[in-house]
Amino acid sequence: MKRTSKSGFSMLELVVSASILSFVLGMPLMIFRSAERMRSSVTTRGDLQAKTRHTIDRIAGRLAGSSAGMIPQSLLGAGQWSSIVDLQVAIGWNGATVDWGTPERLALLVSPEDPDDGVDNDTDGMVDERIVVWITDVGLGTQRTTLVRRDVSELMAGEIAGNGIDDNGNGLVDEAGLAFEFVDDQVVIRLSLQGLDSSNAIIEHTEERRIAFRN
Amino acid sequence: MKLQRSSELTVKGVGRRLGVALMGVLVVLSGLLVLLATFQQVTARRSSETRASADDRRAFYLAETALNEGMTALRAGSSGAVGSEAAPAYFGGGVFWVEATDLGSSRTRLEATALAGSGRAALEAVVEVRPQEPLFRSVLNSKDPLGMASGVTVDSFESELGTYASQATNSYSGIPFAKDNGDVCSNGSITFAAGASVFGDATPGPGYTCSFTGSSYVSGSTLPAADVFTFPVINVPSTPVTGPLTVPNNGISTLTTGSYGFSNLTIGNGGTLKVQGPAKIVCTDFTGNMYGRLEIDATNGPVTIYVQGLYTHVNRFEAVPAPGSPMAVAFMLSAPQTISFPPKAKLRGAYYAPDSEIQFTSDDEIWGAFAAKKVSMASSTKFHFDESLMDHWDNPAGKVDPLDLLVWRRIGVTPQSLLLDHRDPYTVLGVNKNALLSPAQSWL
């Protein structure tokens, strides 16, 4: 009996050693999780930035080949915005005038999976997100819609819906997550995308680019 | 049952535990390796996608640069072509070339192809080269309202094609004339006295009109100008002054091609000053005395005389062309004054006096162009606009980009093999990067 009692541990020793062990294992775990959250956040932001730029690249590529005169929304002028652009792109020169392509439209639409009802219908963690589509041959039998980008914010980052105030200070009031502003022969494209990091926190990224119509 | 010693139990137990730990470590390590490989693959793919996207964007910007280089070449009078697929221009870590096709009517199609990393892009533009606005666009051009006196006739000719007499082969109501580009312009209204005849356009300023008395005649348009003509400030070249230049009476002096600065320039009675163009002469006062001659040889370029002080034109002084030369001489008169040409004066060349009044007295005959604040004339003065003058002096105030972009668009990269080969541009094109020329050196 005496030998047995000497070879074991007291309850106090077990508790202390278990505490130390959980502390020693827990600290790296906490650090790891914190680092992982940070990595996830940075990765999400990086992805959002890349997606935003890529989307603006595509939109800018179409708009650059058009002309302010071929875009009805250009009459809105500075300080006004539209989330839809109807355009035609130059496809050649016939010796006297520019040949224009068939009508196209770039538009911000409500996502079919998440209707505009304030509820996260598609349970992706984001509410009422929008999509950007590119519609070619508008009004023709060959009309075709191509999805350009999902997860577009309903409103531009920093903007509060329907308060009639330029909350984010970019010169536009209550603008949507995709907004076109026409200034002389140029157009300013603003786009806000959103995504979730590993802790399901919503991250937004906004970019704007001003391009000149070449035609 | 055989009892083991406690020491054996301990050693065997430890051994078993060590084996389990080793297996555990191996499993964890394997898992980590798999994770690492996956992560590395994902990172590499993402990095590759990002690089490809960035290369595409760089190629696009490079193609825009290429188009601009082609346009710059066109503005400078080159064909617009820059480099070629076999010898592209090197710029900004990539290469490009521009093919130019002359479409006629001063139009050119530029097709730019650019390669940067794995990115490829091609753009097309059709541009039109517009001529610059000439400083001397009509025989008379005044800031103030212009009055055409009775019996005045205006027509045009080209001194580069020969004498006026050799070109005056037409006739209208008994009035001989050469060509019908003898325009008169004003930033105000234009009034025509009886018998004034203009073989050309009469263009009043925006919002103004032409008014006619009696049987005056204008062969062309009398519509007002869309814009006011901007009379530019005279930009006198900074030339060192070497003192006065006086051509002695009946003597001959010669100025060869170059720039000259004189305090005063005087051509004595019967003296002749021969000037070989291209030349720029800056002086304070200019005096052409009786029977003096200013002989202009503009075969290789025009002669411009900047007079910062007074211009004096004595009776029977004449500026004349050298045999076989066009009469490309212009007097730039910057000081406000009234320049009164004597009766029966024979005037050739161009006069630009934006702050002065020019008066033509009786029986003058003019082969040139005059732009001034105010122009007045005696009846029956004969004006013959020398169209050759339009080629030599541009209006800097009216200078706009001579290139008009008619259409711009993205086009497919050709040959298509360039799109399929994602290696660096130098390998793809088979060129030595270090031997490539800069864009400006690659103009064709």
Side-chain angles (χ1 to χ4, degrees):
Chain A
M1 288 297 289
K2 190 178 178 182
R3 185 173 170 174
T4 304
S5 66
K6 278 183 182 175
S7 63
F9 298 102
S10 70
M11 185 58 75
L12 182 62
E13 286 172 328
L14 281 172
V15 169
V16 169
S17 58
S19 302
I20 292 172
L21 187 64
S22 62
F23 181 75
V24 168
L25 290 176
M27 277 297 286
L29 191 65
M30 282 172 61
I31 293 169
F32 178 78
R33 289 189 62 181
S34 170
E36 168 55 23
R37 270 201 301 272
M38 200 177 294
R39 185 201 65 76
S40 166
S41 171
V42 169
T43 305
T44 307
R45 283 180 196 282
D47 282 351
L48 279 178
Q49 187 183 49
K51 284 178 183 172
T52 312
R53 286 185 181 167
H54 185 246
T55 308
I56 290 183
D57 277 347
R58 288 189 68 183
I59 294 172
R62 299 310 294 170
L63 285 172
S66 188
S67 159
M70 302 302 288
I71 300 176
Q73 289 82 2
S74 66
L75 297 173
L76 288 171
Q80 304 295 312
W81 61 272
S82 171
S83 57
I84 294 175
V85 167
D86 292 299
L87 69 153
Q88 284 176 269
V89 174
I91 55 170
W93 174 257
N94 61 24
T97 56
V98 177
D99 283 329
W100 296 100
T102 53
E104 300 177 17
R105 178 175 295 160
L106 290 159
L108 181 71
L109 302 179
V110 172
S111 172
E113 292 88 25
D114 196 349
D116 189 15
D117 55 5
V119 178
D120 180 15
N121 303 85
D122 55 2
T123 65
D124 64 354
M126 293 174 283
V127 179
D128 296 349
E129 68 271 22
R130 304 293 201 248
I131 57 172
V132 176
V133 296
W134 172 36
I135 307 168
T136 52
D137 293 350
V138 176
L140 304 175
T142 50
Q143 179 171 317
R144 183 180 168 188
T145 302
T146 306
L147 178 67
V148 177
R149 182 60 60 200
R150 295 179 187 278
D151 301 338
V152 181
S153 304
E154 181 184 3
L155 292 166
M156 196 67 65
E159 202 62 45
I160 298 167
N163 65 356
I165 297 171
D166 177 17
D167 302 286
N168 54 17
N170 66 358
L172 303 179
V173 175
D174 296 345
E175 72 275 20
L178 171 67
F180 300 97
E181 181 189 10
F182 295 88
V183 184
D184 300 325
D185 272 347
Q186 299 178 341
V187 57
V188 184
I189 308 162
R190 296 181 175 88
L191 178 66
S192 269
L193 293 190
Q194 54 186 1
L196 297 177
D197 68 6
S198 61
S199 61
N200 287 333
I202 291 180
I203 294 174
E204 271 192 308
H205 182 78
T206 302
E207 296 224 355
E208 77 170 55
R209 189 178 307 169
R210 180 187 285 252
I211 62 156
F213 296 113
R214 305 299 200 280
N215 292 297
Chain B
M1 191 172 83
K2 187 181 174 183
L3 289 175
Q4 287 182 321
R5 287 189 302 174
S6 64
S7 59
E8 286 177 340
L9 270 172
T10 307
V11 170
K12 285 185 177 176
V14 167
R16 275 197 300 274
R17 282 198 296 274
L18 278 175
V20 169
L22 183 61
M23 287 302 292
V25 166
L26 283 174
V27 168
V28 169
L29 273 178
S30 305
L32 280 173
L33 279 173
V34 170
L35 276 175
L36 190 67
T38 309
F39 182 71
Q40 196 266 340
Q41 241 181 355
V42 169
T43 307
R45 198 184 68 227
R46 186 172 293 169
S47 168
S48 165
E49 284 172 2
T50 307
R51 199 180 313 117
S53 173
D55 281 349
D56 281 342
R57 200 174 303 132
R58 281 177 57 213
F60 172 75
Y61 291 142
L62 209 53
E64 290 237 79
T65 305
L67 270 188
N68 280 323
E69 189 68 30
M71 292 182 198
T72 305
L74 272 175
R75 285 188 190 97
S78 185
S79 70
V82 181
S84 64
E85 187 180 341
Y90 175 80
F91 185 77
V95 297
F96 66 70
W97 65 91
V98 182
E99 292 170 17
T101 309
D102 187 358
L103 301 177
S105 305
S106 303
R107 289 171 184 155
T108 305
R109 171 180 284 119
L110 301 173
E111 289 174 309
T113 307
L115 288 76
S118 62
R120 287 28 174 166
L123 296 172
E124 178 195 270
V126 177
V127 295
E128 183 175 298
V129 181
R130 292 177 303 203
Q132 287 290 315
E133 182 182 62
L135 183 60
F136 301 106
R137 59 175 186 165
S138 57
V139 68
L140 297 175
N141 188 6
S142 68
K143 282 184 186 176
D144 293 351
L146 178 64
M148 302 299 290
S150 62
V152 164
T153 58
V154 182
D155 65 350
S156 67
F157 78 113
E158 286 186 69
S159 63
E160 287 178 353
L161 301 180
T163 63
Y164 170 78
S166 68
Q167 297 174 48
T169 55
N170 302 305
S171 175
Y172 175 81
S173 293
I175 305 169
F177 70 97
K179 297 176 71 178
D180 58 0
N181 291 317
D183 301 345
V184 293
C185 306
S186 169
N187 280 344
S189 58
I190 303 177
T191 55
F192 290 84
S197 300
V198 172
F199 297 96
D201 297 337
T203 310
Y208 292 92
T209 57
C210 292
S211 57
F212 300 89
T213 307
S215 58
S216 45
Y217 170 74
V218 176
S219 71
S221 166
T222 56
L223 293 172
D227 302 303
V228 169
F229 181 84
T230 304
F231 286 77
V233 173
I234 295 172
N235 186 16
V236 180
S238 53
T239 308
V241 176
T242 56
L245 173 66
T246 303
V247 180
N249 292 346
N250 301 313
I252 297 176
S253 297
T254 301
L255 294 176
T256 55
T257 296
S259 296
Y260 301 91
F262 303 114
S263 51
N264 290 319
L265 202 168
T266 306
I267 301 174
N269 290 335
T272 300
L273 175 62
K274 297 182 176 183
V275 185
Q276 294 172 344
K280 289 181 178 178
I281 301 168
V282 179
C283 63
T284 305
D285 291 345
F286 177 93
T287 305
N289 283 304
M290 189 173 282
Y291 293 110
R293 290 284 181 276
L294 174 63
E295 189 177 299
I296 302 297
D297 182 356
T299 309
N300 297 318
V303 175
T304 310
I305 302 173
Y306 297 88
V307 182
Q308 300 177 89
L310 294 177
Y311 175 88
T312 306
H313 190 113
V314 178
N315 191 22
R316 301 194 186 282
F317 167 73
E318 274 189 67
V320 295
S325 164
M327 191 51 191
V329 60
F331 286 92
M332 302 291 184
L333 311 175
S334 47
Q337 57 193 295
T338 299
I339 302 148
S340 184
F341 292 108
K344 297 184 178 177
K346 308 293 182 191
L347 303 171
R348 297 176 187 85
Y351 286 75
Y352 179 71
D355 299 312
S356 300
E357 178 181 354
I358 291 179
Q359 297 174 340
F360 300 103
T361 53
S362 58
D363 298 319
D364 288 346
E365 187 161 11
I366 290 98
W367 298 267
F370 292 80
K373 181 177 185 299
K374 186 176 180 183
V375 177
S376 59
M377 66 198 73
S379 58
S380 302
T381 308
K382 293 181 175 63
F383 294 98
H384 315 292
F385 176 44
D386 184 353
E387 295 178 27
S388 304
L389 295 170
M390 289 197 290
D391 300 335
H392 299 294
W393 294 275
D394 290 335
N395 181 359
K399 222 166 209 174
V400 291
D401 186 349
L403 222 60
D404 197 9
L405 179 63
L406 300 176
V407 67
W408 176 102
R409 68 183 184 117
R410 284 172 180 260
I411 54 174
V413 175
T414 50
Q416 273 203 324
S417 57
L418 292 176
L419 283 174
L420 304 173
D421 194 336
H422 297 292
R423 293 175 298 170
D424 73 84
Y426 319 104
T427 310
V428 172
L429 297 173
V431 294
N432 177 6
K433 178 182 176 183
N434 298 320
L436 296 180
L437 300 175
S438 73
Q441 291 172 307
S442 305
W443 289 10
L444 300 176

